Amino acid sequence: MKLLVAPSSIKIELIKKDIERWLKEDKKIMILVFEQSTINILKDVFNEEKSKGSILINSVMGNEIKSLLMFATLIGRYNSGIIDELYGAYLVRISSSSKEEAFKIQRKIIMLISLIKYLENFTSSNIRIYTSIDETENWFYNLFGNITIK
């Protein structure tokens, strides 16, 4: 699993390139998105005609834990996957939580990312996680073996 850290303007272009490349390779793609702006931009690239058999999961107003669990359960059905702005969703969620609740959320995210990483290796899928937040906590960076900062 690869983490790509880039400013928003560059990040969306990197996501578009990954999607376009995977669609040309006839890959089935699932995308989990936590930002409305990303969904608006991806609608042009990720339409029914080009992306048969692929899925866009809108989790802007959803629960990041449930969305990650859904993503994990679908990994075997898709060749490639993108999770956009998970760390931002985490920050939003803990901003209105107590310390105890924030710790529980953090542990759940660690567990689910570890599960997704395991399933990625087990199914030979290709999963990428993107964020525009370049100063994340160490526990988040430590979840990934491959980190690219643009």
Side-chain angles (χ1 to χ4, degrees):
M1 183 178 328
K2 185 174 187 176
L3 174 66
L4 291 109
V5 182
S8 294
S9 58
I10 297 171
K11 179 186 76 165
I12 197 64
E13 290 304 316
L14 294 171
I15 292 172
K16 281 181 176 181
K17 286 180 183 177
D18 279 342
I19 292 170
E20 290 169 348
R21 185 182 78 248
W22 288 336
L23 289 174
K24 285 179 186 174
E25 296 171 359
D26 288 329
K27 303 263 183 175
K28 288 174 57 176
I29 307 166
M30 65 175 158
I31 302 172
L32 173 57
V33 181
F34 291 99
E35 286 188 330
Q36 186 62 46
S37 59
T38 303
I39 291 172
N40 295 339
I41 293 169
L42 289 183
K43 284 182 181 176
D44 295 337
V45 177
F46 198 78
N47 61 40
E48 292 280 331
E49 204 172 290
K50 293 181 187 175
S51 60
K52 291 185 175 144
S54 297
I55 185 172
L56 177 64
I57 304 166
N58 180 343
S59 190
V60 172
M61 299 302 286
N63 179 317
E64 69 283 339
I65 304 302
K66 289 180 182 176
S67 299
L68 284 171
L69 188 56
M70 180 190 334
F71 189 90
T73 60
L74 294 173
I75 285 179
R77 298 179 190 154
Y78 295 88
N79 311 94
S80 304
I82 292 173
I83 300 174
D84 182 45
E85 215 52 74
L86 171 61
Y87 192 72
Y90 162 75
L91 290 177
V92 169
R93 179 85 181 270
I94 66 162
S95 68
S96 61
S97 301
S98 67
K99 278 188 176 185
E100 296 82 26
E101 185 63 24
F103 182 69
K104 288 178 185 177
I105 294 166
Q106 178 186 19
R107 289 185 56 110
K108 288 177 184 177
I109 288 176
I110 290 170
M111 180 191 69
L112 288 168
I113 292 298
S114 297
L115 174 63
I116 289 169
K117 209 158 83 171
Y118 169 77
L119 292 170
E120 175 192 32
N121 290 331
F122 185 73
T123 62
S124 299
S125 298
N126 188 1
I127 309 294
R128 296 189 178 194
I129 297 183
Y130 290 84
T131 188
S132 58
I133 301 167
D134 59 353
E135 293 193 20
T136 66
E137 297 172 57
N138 284 337
W139 68 265
F140 190 74
Y141 277 142
N142 291 337
L143 292 172
F144 306 96
N146 190 347
I147 301 171
T148 301
I149 300 174
K150 298 279 181 176

